[in-house]
Amino acid sequence: MRRTARQTLLFCAVLLPAVSFAEPGIPALTVQTAASGGGQTYTLTLQVLALMTALTLLPAIVLMMTSFTRIVIVLGMLRQAIGAGNTPPNQVLLGLALFLTLFVMSPVLDRINEDAYKPYSAGTIDATAALNRAVVPLKKFMLDQTRESDIATFVRISGGKGYATPQDVPLLILVPSFVTSELKTSFLIGFLIFIPFVIIDLVVASVLMSMGMMMLSPVLISLPFKLMLFVLVDGWALVMGTLASSFYS
């Protein structure tokens, strides 16, 4: 045991100077100023760190800055109006909402790819310029869907005095305004979806009451009629088409 301990200490004594005089690794926070244009470039490790940070914010970006909010709320209200329990399941609704979001946001994504990603990957612009270019089509999409009253509300809450043009509205004001407008629009569409299903429930309940079948649940009778009506009118195509066209009407 003593011999093993001596050998271990001797090995550490020999290895320690080599470690202390080893060359340092690549610094993670190196920022270099470009020779022309005054832009800044970052080391690869810092870019990876920024990418990982952006990935953690990606769910919030998808939820709050795209058409996903309106779509998933309307689909959830549709399932509740039909009254079929958890059919379709949450996984199906979320997958449908995600792919419909990609369909709706495809013009915006194409614009970001052409104006920001391709020049950045080609090395013609730096990361800051690419980010500024990528925000432009996304802000335009959100401004087209946001009510002016909602923007005015958050400008008043923040203590601001307004902006000269809609493009001057910062994201800190635009994002909550956009989400508020999306909630209003989705609830309005959900109200219109609820009306025919509520009428069917009322008719079935009145018929059962008139026949004296008060112990029979109206939901049990109305559910097949609601499903049949929804299938006959091609309800899924109508809902999907209405949601997609509501963003570019």
Side-chain angles (χ1 to χ4, degrees), residues 2 8 20 22 42 49 82 86 95 97 112 120 127 142 151 155 160 165 177-178 202 212 217 231 238 240 246:
R2 293 180 178 177
T8 304
S20 58
Y42 304 96
L49 178 63
I82 294 175
N86 289 328
I112 293 175
Y120 175 71
M142 290 191 292
I151 297 178
V155 169
T165 61
S177 305
F178 170 74
L202 290 175
S217 175
V231 172
L238 288 176
M240 295 297 104
S246 65

Side-chain angles (χ1 to χ4, degrees), residues 74-88 93 193-194 196-198 200-201 217-228 230 236:
V74 171
L75 293 179
M77 287 187 173
L78 174 62
R79 182 176 65 178
Q80 187 175 1
I82 294 175
N86 289 328
T87 304
L93 288 185
I193 290 176
F194 256 95
F197 297 107
V198 171
I200 294 176
D201 288 333
S217 175
V219 178
L220 184 63
I221 305 300
S222 63
L223 179 58
F225 288 99
K226 289 191 287 187
L227 293 176
M228 181 181 64
F230 193 69
W236 286 111

Side-chain angles (χ1 to χ4, degrees), residues 203-214 216-219 221:
V203 171
V204 171
S206 300
V207 172
L208 292 179
M209 288 289 293
S210 63
M211 296 176 63
M213 298 181 180
M214 293 178 293
L216 184 61
S217 175
V219 178
I221 305 300

Side-chain angles (χ1 to χ4, degrees), residues 68-119:
F68 183 83
T69 301
R70 181 189 305 184
I71 294 171
V72 75
I73 290 177
V74 171
L75 293 179
M77 287 187 173
L78 174 62
R79 182 176 65 178
Q80 187 175 1
I82 294 175
N86 289 328
T87 304
N90 292 330
Q91 292 84 351
V92 175
L93 288 185
L94 290 176
L96 184 59
L98 181 60
F99 281 99
L100 188 58
T101 300
L102 292 176
F103 174 77
V104 172
M105 299 297 296
S106 58
V108 179
L109 297 177
D110 291 340
R111 180 78 181 275
I112 293 175
N113 182 47
E114 293 292 333
D115 296 347
Y117 178 72
K118 285 186 176 180

Side-chain angles (χ1 to χ4, degrees), residues 176-196:
S177 305
F178 170 74
V179 174
T180 304
S181 294
E182 288 294 283
L183 290 175
K184 291 179 181 178
T185 305
S186 59
F187 274 64
L188 179 60
I189 298 176
F191 169 76
L192 298 177
I193 290 176
F194 256 95
I195 291 178

